[in-house]
Amino acid sequence: MASIGFIGLGRMGQGMAGRYLDAGFDVAVWNRSKAKADVLVGRGARWANSPADAAFGADAIVTMVADDEASHDVWLGNDGAAEAAQAKTLAIECSTVSYQHALDMARELRERGLVYLDCPVTGLPQAAAEGKLTLLVGADSADLKRAEPFLTPIGSAVRHFGAIGNGTIFKLINNLMGAQQIASLAEGLAVAEQAGLNMTMVAEALATGAVASPQVIRHSKRMVARDFSGASFTSTLRRKDVLYAVSLAEKLLADVPMARAAIEAYDKAVAYAPDDDEAKMIEIVSRRKADKS
Ligand code: NAP
C-alpha cells in the first residue's frame, strides 16, 4: 500500500489525514503540538518524531500548515521533510501560502530531487473530514497525473489552473473576495440593525436575493444571531490570505482599493479576536455612531 507522510494536523489536516487512513494508506503523521495526533494514532497512523521522520520512505508528503513560515519550517527547517524524502517523492503543499513562497518552494524542493505541486484547497473542516475538498492545483500535467491517487482521498474536485503557483493565485483571489464579502456583509447587516429593521427578514432576504453568495448565505444568519459556534476559519488565517493576495495584486495592478479595505477590516478583526471565527466581524462594525450634541 502506498505511504503518506502527513504534516500539520490542525482543523483541516486532522480530517485530511484521516481520509488517507480510511482509504487504506500507510500514514505517518507529524504536528508541532503532538497531542493533536492522538486520535489519528489511535486509528493506526504512525507518530513521526519530526517532519523528516514523516517523510522517510513516503511516496508522497502532504503539508497542511498555517502559512509561509510554517511551510518553510516543515519542509526546509531543522529535521524538515526535504532532508529525508527520497528522490522523486511528491511534495504536495495544501496549505494556503503566498505565490512567491510557492515558486520558491518549488525551486528549492526540485533542487533536492522532489516533485512539488501547489494544491491549496477550498472547503470547510467538515468537507476535509469527508474527502470533499476542491483542490486548486498548479503543476505540470504529468506530475498531476502521478499525484492523482494521492489527491482522490481528500478531494471531490480537482481544478488544474496550469503551472506551479497558479493554484495558489486562484486560491488567493478567491479568499480575498471572500474576505471582502464577509466584511461587506457585516457592514450591511449592522446598518440594517441600527436602522431598526426586522433582522430575521433581512437575513432571509439577503440569503435568497441577488447578493446571495455562499459566503453571504453561510454567514448572514450566524451574524444576526451572533452565533459563532462551529468556528472553522479564523480571522488570523483570513487576514494572512488577504495580505498574500494583496502582495500579488500590487505587483500586477496600479491600485487595489477594495483589497486595501479588506486589510483594514481584517486588521481590526485580528486585533479584536484573532483565533475566533471571522464572522465576529459583525461585533466590530455594529458599534453605534456616537451621538453628536
Ligand atoms: P489551524 O487549525 O490553525 O492549524 C494550523 C496548523 O499549522 C497546525 O497544525 C499548527 O501546528 C501548524 N503550524 C503553525 N505554525 C507552525 C510552525 N511554525 N511550524 C509547524 N507547524 C505550524 O489551521 P487550519 O484551519 O487547519 O488551516 C490550515 C491551512 O489550510 C491554512 O493555510 C489555511 O489558510 C488553509 N485553509 C483553511 C480552511 C478552513 O476552513 N479552516 C479552509 C481552506 C484552507 P499546532 O497545532 O502546533 O499549532
Side-chain angles (χ1 to χ4, degrees):
M1 180 42 74
S3 59
I4 286 276
F6 198 101
I7 295 168
L9 305 173
R11 292 178 192 82
M12 298 294 286
Q14 281 281 335
M16 292 163 72
R19 288 291 304 165
Y20 289 112
L21 289 172
D22 293 342
F25 284 71
D26 286 334
V27 183
V29 292
W30 181 84
N31 192 63
R32 184 178 59 176
S33 320
K34 187 178 177 189
K36 289 188 190 167
D38 288 351
V39 171
L40 292 160
V41 170
R43 289 175 57 194
R46 172 177 76 83
W47 168 252
N49 286 314
S50 62
D53 187 17
F56 184 76
D59 297 308
I61 303 158
V62 180
T63 49
M64 192 54 166
V65 292
D67 53 17
D68 286 3
E69 189 189 353
S71 165
H72 185 276
D73 285 355
V74 300
W75 286 111
L76 298 174
N78 283 339
D79 280 333
E83 267 183 30
Q86 55 207 356
K88 299 209 168 94
T89 301
L90 292 161
I92 303 174
E93 177 74 85
C94 289
S95 328
T96 307
V97 295
S98 67
Y99 177 57
Q100 189 58 50
H101 181 81
L103 298 185
D104 291 346
M105 291 303 299
R107 192 191 61 253
E108 293 268 5
L109 294 181
R110 196 181 310 120
E111 283 169 13
R112 292 162 167 79
L114 307 188
V115 177
Y116 183 86
L117 292 81
D118 65 308
C119 183
V121 309
T122 55
L124 296 171
Q126 188 180 341
E130 293 171 353
K132 291 183 180 158
L133 296 171
T134 297
L135 310 180
L136 311 168
V137 177
D140 294 341
S141 295
D143 295 339
L144 174 55
K145 184 98 196 122
R146 249 190 85 205
E148 270 166 15
F150 301 95
L151 302 183
T152 306
I154 55 172
S156 54
V158 174
R159 295 191 193 279
H160 184 203
F161 286 95
I164 287 168
N166 284 9
T168 294
I169 293 176
F170 178 80
K171 172 67 181 171
L172 295 178
I173 62 157
N174 184 78
N175 275 29
L176 171 61
M177 291 169 67
Q180 290 160 338
Q181 289 182 10
I182 287 166
S184 161
L185 172 66
E187 281 186 13
L189 289 174
V191 171
E193 274 180 358
Q194 295 296 351
L197 270 62
N198 175 328
M199 293 310 292
T200 306
M201 194 183 290
V202 168
E204 171 69 16
L206 286 174
T208 53
V211 297
S213 70
Q215 292 289 12
V216 169
I217 293 169
R218 179 170 139 67
H219 287 296
S220 48
K221 286 190 184 131
R222 301 174 79 227
M223 284 188 186
V224 167
R226 307 296 195 266
D227 170 11
F228 309 116
S229 59
S232 54
F233 200 50
T234 64
S235 294
T236 296
L237 286 177
R238 177 73 74 174
R239 176 173 172 275
K240 172 259 311 183
D241 292 353
V242 170
L243 291 174
Y244 292 166
V246 170
S247 140
L248 172 66
E250 284 177 339
K251 291 196 175 93
L252 299 169
L253 300 176
D255 194 14
V256 283
M258 295 287 290
R260 280 189 276 103
I263 293 179
E264 194 181 325
Y266 275 85
D267 279 350
K268 287 181 188 157
V270 168
Y272 179 68
D275 299 323
D276 286 356
D277 189 283
E278 60 182 331
K280 281 204 172 175
M281 186 71 77
I282 185 70
E283 292 187 340
I284 301 167
V285 298
S286 59
R287 279 174 295 118
R288 194 176 172 78
K289 186 179 171 73
D291 287 336
K292 285 188 183 150
S293 49

